[in-house]
Amino acid sequence: MGAQTYLPIEILDYLETHAPPEEGSFGISQRELAKALGYHPCSMSRPLSSLVREGLLSEKRGLVRDGQRKQLTYRLTEDGRGRLRRETREVPLLSGDIPPPPHPFLGRKDELAQLAEFSQEGGSLVFVDGPPGMGKTALVSRHLRRARRGRIPFWFTVRSASSPRQFVSALAHALSFLGAQQLAYYSQLPRAPVAREVSDLTSRALGDRALAAVFDDIQMASPDMLKFLQDLVASLLRTRDDQFYLVGQEAPSIDAGKSRNYHLTVGGLDRVSAHDLTDRQGGLADRFEAVYQSTLGSPLLLQLAVLNPGVEADAAHLPNAVVKRLPMSEVKAMLPAALANESLPVTFLSEALGLSAARVNELVRMGILHATLQGRVEILQVVRAALLGRVGTGDEREAHLRLAQFYARSRRPEAVRERFLHLVEGEAWKTAANLLTQQERTILRPGYSETMRNALRHLATVLPRGQAKVRVLMIEAALLRHHSDYSEAIISLRRAISEAHDDPRITGECLFTIADLHVRLRQLDEARKAHEDARRLGPMSRRLQAYLLLSDARITEAAGDNHLAHQKYEEAFEAARRFRIQDLSLESIAAWSRLAELQRGPDVALRIIAEALPAARDAGRMDIAFNLQLVRARAYAETGRESLAEAEIKMIRSEAEALGYLNQLTYTMSGLAAMAIEGKRWGEAVGYAKQASALAERLGNDLVLGHTLALLCSTEFREAYFGGGTQLVQESIGHGERGVEILERLPGSDSLVLAHSYLAEVYAYVKDAAPARMHYDRAVTLAETLGLGWLKDRTTEEVGPKVIAAEEGEASPGTPSAVSEGSQARTGGGGRAASS
């Protein structure tokens, strides 16, 4: 398993990081490995068989995540784990352990005492800042090794190209020994990580254990990366006793909320410690005072001065003077380490770049290179600037191309992206464009970063007019769309259209995508215009014909005509299926099945789902598969098969939780609450509903939050009616009013109809006639507007008499209405919400 035969290494790495718990019901199959690593399933057979024969993997037949039948599943053996450790020493990882502090570690007693005081209690955020070269990283590393007190350490060094997805991947690796499978699967999802979701999965992985996390070189973080880290830290500190250290040249403007936060500015060493440090390196004799004053006590500059005795320069010019003495061949050989976003293996510098191992060790001794515990080297910032100042742009291009060769050793998404970025920086335009076309999904998987956006923009600028330029612009639009930057994505697509020389296929694809983006922005007039511009292109390919129907259905639904949208989604699906265009057929079916259940009843929806679900799973679109299953659960409940509905929801819950699909997990909690209501298990229903509302609020999903608050209103009312108490009635009204308030800000939905009907029923129960009538009328009118005749009829029949009784001052007739039970079971997580 050498560096070129990387497939076996990747298999071992994926199995270690994503291994399900021993008691888990799902295993990792050959198909899952192929899909995750980007190979055809058949090409996995030989390496898997070889790894089993060598005793590095074990295999057994069991259930798998991407199918219904049992298949062969694989796990690492202890020999496999050992082999993985040896093999990955030379593979780019883009993450690391705690860096070692200097040995011996001198001085800093006051700073260490302050950090120790800051860390006495958990739930804190510590800012450590200071000029470069002052030893901030060494200080925090030393502190963490002495005072972590059973906490699990995690160290992430921020680079200019760092993205939230890269961070999540590094965190999943760091916590893999705890069995953080959900976090590992989450890092593979085709959408950008959400800080609140990462916080939730991290909390589950840690359990009762506390985290001590360091974000080093925080000044390198892009605005998006900084916002992600801020949201993650704030979310974890709200409920946990973790500790976070933000290390950089200046304290970032991060809102720590109500948590404890501290600030430590690191200056130079005191005179005694500085003297001790230089003496251990050979001493400065009578030069000490002048060097100490010049370097301001910077440990790095002091070491450079003592280890390079012939250099006479002040602090500002010392790194440049030291680097100037090096042969130009060595400067060029070290240049990749200065440009890399991570530390590099010593063997890469010594074998690929012509530096002998002995010379590498000498450069480490001189303080120019810095060694890590993992047998890698890096260049600290003050020396990096001096190296870059001595070389020209041609040398930098050559170094970037060498780094591109290094990252070609791995097919991890982060490594493939790094290879692409270095190819762009190395001005290998054609090679970069070809790699982007071949590995688009892999390169986009690590998520949005400004560095990636700038690389795509630069590549689109320098490429000559043609298909490659158009493709880069469309991929840039896809990156921006995943980042929810819809306006910028539209600009990129407009540029692609102008570069396409009136190619109807490209122009049509871009215009339909633009129409979808305008729908997301609630700009219906602009969406209709883009849609009509595409329609007028003339004869269309089969893909564009299907896309035309899907675009029309989306605009119709956004305009509020669910009945007509349902018909159009059906047409779009039939066309996409007929033309075998899988991505469009799955997008169509997700919306069609939901509207079919609402408009034409459960039997129609069940037929649709039976046909579509296997295709969604085979395509790896688990988001669509879960949404189809949620609709199926509602259909089962509507047809009186409550046990099937509950079993379906529990199965979704298990899989969605394991894969990190937290939105779908929220819907299942809501559905389980509905099933508990159906079974008159009020306490259980309240528990599920509170979990669902807490998750929905943390995820920022207003539609699901509003629906589950309404569900809490219904549940607490029933609990009060059957012996709870007046306090529960008031809590019920409070949750219901808040649910209505949230849902009223969104387009009309069946969830809003239900929320109004629940409140009408509660107000009628307490004989408050005016709000009972208002909510009842709103529910009936909205159900009629949305074409939900079944819901209007039930509300009229079951809630209407209670409102009339309240107006006449009489007791409400009967028990709580069936509309509240049956409709909850029917809608589960909210009809519109389930496929958001």
Side-chain angles (χ1 to χ4, degrees), residues 233-519:
V233 169
S235 182
L236 285 170
L237 287 180
R238 271 198 295 270
T239 57
R240 295 180 51 82
D241 288 332
D242 300 325
Q243 290 177 346
F244 296 92
Y245 300 82
L246 274 63
V247 184
Q249 293 180 20
E250 57 184 23
S253 55
I254 286 185
D255 182 8
K258 297 180 180 179
S259 63
R260 288 179 290 274
N261 61 92
Y262 307 98
H263 184 197
L264 174 64
T265 298
V266 179
L269 292 172
D270 61 74
R271 185 176 275 95
V272 174
S273 299
H275 201 284
D276 195 4
L277 173 66
T278 54
D279 274 0
R280 287 172 180 271
Q281 303 286 346
L284 288 168
D286 57 355
R287 297 172 56 230
F288 172 77
E289 191 60 34
V291 170
Y292 177 70
Q293 294 293 338
S294 172
T295 60
L296 304 177
S298 164
L300 177 61
L301 295 179
L302 284 168
Q303 289 185 81
L304 282 176
V306 74
L307 295 173
N308 299 274
V311 178
E312 296 288 343
D314 60 20
H317 300 95
L318 181 58
N320 290 325
V322 171
V323 170
K324 191 174 181 180
R325 300 177 68 196
L326 298 174
M328 195 62 189
S329 59
E330 290 188 355
V331 172
K332 291 181 179 180
M334 287 188 290
L335 196 53
L339 297 173
N341 281 318
E342 66 171 326
S343 57
L344 300 175
V346 172
T347 52
F348 176 68
L349 292 178
S350 60
E351 296 173 7
L353 304 179
L355 284 175
S356 68
R359 183 55 179 164
V360 169
N361 291 333
E362 177 66 14
L363 290 168
V364 169
R365 190 194 66 77
M366 292 170 61
I368 295 172
L369 292 175
H370 178 72
T372 73
L373 282 178
Q374 297 80 30
R376 296 171 178 246
V377 291
E378 59 186 358
I379 296 177
L380 301 182
Q381 191 163 347
V382 292
V383 179
R384 180 184 293 117
L387 277 171
L388 294 176
R390 194 174 169 194
V391 299
T393 54
D395 299 321
E396 287 191 36
R397 286 197 299 271
E398 182 62 29
H400 280 296
L401 294 178
R402 289 178 177 177
L403 284 169
Q405 293 176 350
F406 170 67
Y407 283 106
R409 299 181 180 188
S410 172
R411 285 173 62 100
R412 283 179 175 161
E414 298 84 358
V416 176
R417 174 178 279 196
E418 285 293 312
R419 182 186 175 197
F420 168 74
L421 292 173
H422 286 299
L423 286 171
V424 173
E425 291 290 342
E427 299 185 5
W429 315 126
K430 185 176 180 180
T431 306
N434 288 339
L435 178 64
L436 182 63
T437 300
Q438 296 163 6
Q439 300 276 357
E440 174 186 348
R441 291 180 63 183
T442 303
I443 290 173
L444 293 185
R445 188 185 298 172
Y448 180 89
S449 74
E450 278 296 322
T451 304
M452 182 64 189
R453 169 76 194 281
N454 292 336
L456 290 171
R457 184 186 295 143
H458 188 51
L459 189 58
T461 302
V462 299
L463 285 173
R465 298 193 70 160
Q467 291 294 318
K469 190 185 192 87
V470 171
R471 187 66 190 149
V472 171
L473 287 166
M474 294 178 73
I475 292 172
E476 181 186 20
L479 178 73
L480 292 165
R481 181 181 178 183
H482 295 161
H483 186 55
S484 300
D485 197 343
Y486 301 140
S487 298
E488 287 294 315
I490 289 171
I491 292 173
S492 296
L493 290 168
R494 293 287 183 192
R495 285 187 62 198
I497 291 172
S498 68
E499 296 284 349
H501 298 291
D502 299 321
D503 183 317
R505 180 182 60 83
I506 293 173
T507 302
E509 185 91 15
C510 290
L511 284 171
F512 285 133
T513 305
I514 288 171
D516 178 39
L517 294 171
H518 279 305
V519 167

Side-chain angles (χ1 to χ4, degrees), residues 90 481 597 664:
E90 302 300 318
R481 181 181 178 183
E597 203 273 334
Q664 281 81 0

Side-chain angles (χ1 to χ4, degrees), residues 520-567:
R520 292 167 184 257
L521 290 167
R522 297 290 170 186
Q523 299 168 345
L524 287 188
D525 290 340
E526 291 86 347
R528 291 188 181 101
K529 184 179 184 305
H531 179 81
E532 288 303 317
D533 287 345
R535 186 196 295 273
R536 287 195 293 269
L537 288 175
M540 290 186 175
S541 66
R542 290 179 172 181
R543 177 176 178 81
L544 290 183
Q545 291 176 47
Y547 212 157
L548 174 71
L549 295 170
L550 177 57
S551 176
D552 194 14
R554 284 170 170 164
I555 293 172
T556 303
E557 184 182 13
D561 193 340
N562 287 345
H563 181 72
L564 183 58
H566 162 255
Q567 297 176 4

